[in-house]
Amino acid sequence: MELFSLSISELRSMIDKGEVSASEVTASVFRRINAVEGRIKAYVTLTGDKAGEMAEKAGGEIAAGRKKPLSGIPMAIKDNMCTKGILTTCASKILSNFIPPYESTVTTKLAANGYVLTGKTNLDEFAMGSSTENSGLHETSNPWDIERIPGGSSGGSAAAVAADECIAALGSDTGGSIRQPAALCGVVGLKPTYGRVSRYGLVAFASSLDQIGPITKNVSDSALLLNIISGRDRFDSTSAPVEAPDFTSFIGKDIKGLKIGIPKEYFIEGMDPEVDKSVKNAVRKLESLGAIPVEVSLPHTGYAVATYYVLATSEASSNLARYDGVKYGFRAEAGELMEMYMKTRAQGFGAEVKRRIMLGTFTLSSGYYDAYYRKAQQVRTLIKKDFDDVFGLVDLVVTPTTPTPAFKFGEKTADPMQMYLADIFTISVNLAGVPAISIPCGFTSGNLPVGLQMIGKHFDEGTILKAAYAYEQSTEWHMRKPDL
Amino acid sequence: MKISIEHLAKLARLSLREEEKELFVGQLDSVLTYMEKLNELDTGTIEPTSHVISLSNVTREDMPEASLSREEALANAPGHTDKFYRVPRIIE
């Protein structure tokens, strides 16, 4: 068994027993990166030298009896989280030379817990996309089939975890960007409750929806990382003043009597039959473990994609106004100021980002604000109420994460609407602000992973983790590795 | 066609090429048509949601603290002097 293929908890025990050193673990992960990165291209920046130093420091701390939960654990970070002194591009030309002068709260917390940074991972430019094809740098391949997309926008992080090019990673999720790539790459992706994790240092896309979360090889690693990154942060006024429990304490508890809602709106025509079958089998498995399935309805599900693309693009058009060629990033040559703004943004942003800025500018513009933006905010209230109502009846909602397995490069790039519909099962969760996880629940006949989504009540990640772990341990899906 | 693409591009501070304008007009129109689905719902008395957790006026004490140095704040700027950002001429 190679070290790079192991989970955080497995490595923790080996490092703590002195069977391997932190430096050996990091060296193993970089050997793996050297072997497969040419085919996967999960990373936009590798930080080998820095990783070596961090591993050595972790080793020293362990030897001095000061071990921490992540001492010597190599992790990858999506390239929209600021790392001080390390290039942070958002996979955009407009930030192609941006070296943050400060560190995001999540990576500050990981560092305080001893992690080793392997590098920054690829994404759809500014996290806008569902396939990582919108990266302004390069495409990333799905480790299960390199002719297919890894999902997005955290495609680099999910692919890096699936290909064992890191032990775990962080992603960000605005409409499914952690869960959808985790599902398509056969790994575990958790979007915490909105407000659970500080967004300080996360480059903003849609501020009322964005949330950072872990992408891991198994459920217990997800709980461990959530413990570390959670909590109120005075640098993010939207981080919630809510106590975080020890999420690892939910691991291993039984799920007898747990009521799981199966929303009929998530089993639709046009869904891949193998995905449908895997998810229904997973529900039966949960039932055999003592859970009680209940058919429920989230009646406004069909309006989620439209609501999301009004709100997310509106917020994006406002957030991305800061890229003006003055304070940081790329600047186009121009004789006067307005021309500089217009050319900088025209040359610095890719097509999808421009499309979304235009859309959001329109829905916020004079005369259209009430018809689009306000209307969508009202529908958001209805979507949130759907979840409030259902969580009066059940403890957990279980759905497919995506309607299809990973698609091929180019399959949905011509028609933006087709790409937007890839997020149909993940978007409502962000609108309602509730937490959700995607875990592997099967493979298609073409050996592509299928994801199961479990959605919980606000700030009740514990129940999700409990059920996800119980399911995971009763199956072997999470043990499978792509043949690379 | 709902959109004046020229007007929008100006509001968004994007100088678009002719072929981009043509492409975006069609694509934005089809997305906006899809969004009209929201009009099927009567939302007359429904309160809008801007944030899912209700926090308001999150403040801290107004105390001076350490912040980025001038050098750090200017380090990423495409143009700067030792004290200021430098931009193309604004006033004739």
Side-chain angles (χ1 to χ4, degrees):
Chain A
M1 182 64 83
E2 297 274 5
L3 296 174
F4 60 69
S5 69
L6 301 176
S7 65
I8 298 177
S9 42
E10 289 166 323
L11 287 168
R12 180 80 278 130
S13 130
M14 292 173 76
I15 296 171
D16 292 351
K17 285 184 200 149
E19 293 168 13
V20 292
S21 71
S23 294
E24 283 165 347
V25 173
T26 294
S28 171
V29 168
F30 275 89
R31 273 198 302 280
R32 176 64 169 179
I33 291 171
N34 288 334
V36 303
E37 177 64 1
R39 280 169 284 159
I40 305 299
K41 299 197 190 77
Y43 286 93
V44 298
T45 303
L46 283 163
T47 52
D49 292 348
K50 169 110 179 150
E53 288 165 25
M54 291 172 93
E56 212 162 289
K57 182 171 169 242
E61 288 180 348
I62 294 163
R66 292 196 316 267
K67 81 173 170 70
K68 298 163 187 164
L70 295 178
S71 289
I73 303 296
M75 283 184 60
I77 304 294
K78 188 179 183 179
D79 206 25
N80 61 350
M81 294 173 219
C82 288
T83 40
K84 187 175 180 177
I86 297 166
L87 201 61
T88 298
T89 67
C90 275
S92 180
K93 183 180 173 188
I94 212 156
L95 283 178
S96 52
N97 58 359
F98 178 61
I99 297 177
Y102 69 103
E103 185 83 16
S104 69
T105 294
V106 285
T107 49
T108 300
K109 288 184 167 189
L110 295 181
N113 281 280
Y115 95 125
V116 171
L117 175 66
T118 53
K120 305 296 289 290
T121 54
N122 200 18
L123 62 153
D124 289 291
E125 184 179 2
F126 283 101
M128 296 179 188
S130 309
S131 67
T132 313
E133 290 168 290
N134 294 333
S135 168
L137 302 167
H138 54 76
E139 289 177 339
T140 293
S141 283
N142 190 313
W144 293 92
D145 177 352
I146 60 170
E147 288 174 11
R148 290 174 191 268
I149 58 95
S153 66
S154 311
S157 284
V161 173
D164 290 323
E165 293 188 75
C166 60
I167 305 305
L170 291 186
S172 67
D173 190 315
T174 305
S177 283
I178 289 174
R179 292 160 287 150
Q180 186 255 21
L184 302 190
C185 290
V187 294
V188 174
L190 173 66
K191 186 207 85 82
T193 308
Y194 183 84
R196 177 67 92 187
V197 177
S198 168
R199 296 182 294 111
Y200 178 71
L202 171 69
V203 177
F205 158 19
S207 307
S208 81
L209 303 162
D210 297 341
Q211 191 66 189
I212 295 169
I215 298 177
T216 55
K217 296 178 186 179
N218 63 38
V219 175
S220 49
D221 283 2
S222 187
L224 173 73
L225 286 177
L226 187 61
N227 270 358
I228 291 167
I229 63 175
S230 289
R232 163 97 183 116
D233 176 16
R234 69 194 196 92
F235 295 129
D236 175 5
S237 62
T238 63
S239 65
V242 174
E243 281 297 308
D246 174 5
F247 293 107
T248 61
S249 71
F250 293 89
I251 298 298
K253 294 219 168 123
D254 85 61
I255 60 167
K256 283 201 183 64
L258 195 76
K259 284 191 188 149
I260 54 170
I262 315 299
K264 56 175 190 251
E265 293 83 3
Y266 283 66
F267 295 85
I268 53 170
E269 242 178 85
M271 217 167 109
D272 184 280
E274 290 185 297
V275 171
D276 186 75
K277 189 165 160 241
S278 294
V279 171
K280 285 178 175 157
N281 284 341
V283 171
R284 273 191 285 277
K285 175 66 88 175
L286 286 164
E287 193 173 6
S288 76
L289 296 170
I292 305 163
V294 181
E295 188 176 304
V296 295
S297 173
L298 294 160
H300 296 94
T301 300
Y303 300 95
V305 171
T307 303
Y308 175 86
Y309 279 95
V310 174
L311 298 179
T313 59
S314 295
E315 293 187 27
S317 73
S318 168
N319 272 326
L320 271 63
R322 74 191 67 188
Y323 302 102
D324 57 3
V326 175
K327 302 174 292 296
Y328 33 69
F330 165 78
R331 174 193 286 188
E333 287 305 314
E336 56 91 32
L337 192 68
M338 181 60 105
E339 187 194 357
M340 185 198 82
Y341 291 153
M342 307 266 298
K343 280 191 176 170
T344 293
R345 292 164 62 80
Q347 294 170 27
F349 291 133
E352 180 61 22
V353 174
K354 288 183 201 175
R355 198 151 41 231
R356 294 203 194 186
I357 290 174
M358 295 283 282
L359 204 52
T361 302
F362 175 77
T363 53
L364 289 178
S365 65
S366 173
Y368 298 99
Y369 178 92
D370 283 341
Y372 289 92
Y373 186 66
R374 192 182 150 81
K375 180 82 185 181
Q377 284 189 313
Q378 289 175 310
V379 180
R380 184 177 186 181
T381 304
L382 297 174
I383 290 167
K384 181 168 178 283
K385 187 174 175 297
D386 282 356
F387 281 96
D388 292 344
D389 291 347
V390 160
F391 284 128
L393 305 170
V394 297
D395 303 302
L396 200 67
V397 169
V398 174
T399 77
T401 309
T402 61
T404 67
F407 43 91
K408 293 201 162 164
F409 287 106
E411 206 175 303
K412 296 180 196 261
T413 42
D415 180 0
M417 217 41 247
Q418 275 309 306
M419 189 69 91
Y420 296 171
L421 289 168
D423 299 334
I424 193 163
F425 295 153
T426 48
I427 265 175
S428 297
V429 160
N430 299 76
L431 291 167
V434 289
I437 200 168
S438 178
I439 56 172
C441 74
F443 286 81
T444 65
S445 49
N447 204 32
L448 296 171
V450 178
L452 180 72
Q453 179 171 240
M454 294 180 169
I455 307 169
K457 299 172 190 171
H458 284 111
F459 298 107
D460 191 19
E461 290 88 351
T463 298
I464 298 178
L465 290 162
K466 179 172 80 174
Y469 182 81
Y471 174 80
E472 176 191 81
Q473 293 302 305
S474 72
T475 67
E476 290 185 336
W477 309 121
H478 65 295
M479 323 263 271
R480 290 208 198 171
K481 298 275 189 187
D483 189 13
L484 281 167
Chain B
M1 178 67 248
K2 302 173 204 69
I3 301 175
S4 157
I5 201 89
E6 308 278 350
H7 176 63
L8 263 193
K10 188 159 178 248
L11 287 176
R13 302 286 188 265
L14 287 167
S15 66
L16 299 180
R17 298 188 306 274
E18 280 311 312
E19 62 269 26
E20 276 181 311
K21 285 181 198 166
E22 259 171 59
L23 180 70
F24 284 172
V25 166
Q27 290 177 334
L28 296 184
D29 194 48
S30 95
V31 176
L32 288 171
T33 302
Y34 179 80
M35 286 171 174
E36 274 163 22
K37 193 176 166 60
L38 298 181
N39 295 328
E40 294 166 13
L41 295 171
D42 177 7
T43 52
T45 58
I46 310 286
E47 282 295 312
T49 295
S50 57
H51 258 81
V52 286
I53 46 174
S54 46
L55 293 169
S56 59
N57 298 333
V58 179
T59 58
R60 61 172 173 81
E61 278 199 55
D62 187 16
M63 299 285 283
E65 286 182 30
S67 59
L68 292 183
S69 67
R70 181 184 281 150
E71 290 72 29
E72 286 172 310
L74 290 171
N76 276 291
H80 63 89
T81 67
D82 59 346
K83 288 182 186 162
F84 301 108
Y85 294 117
R86 188 191 287 280
V87 295
R89 193 181 63 230
I90 299 172
I91 300 163
E92 288 296 322

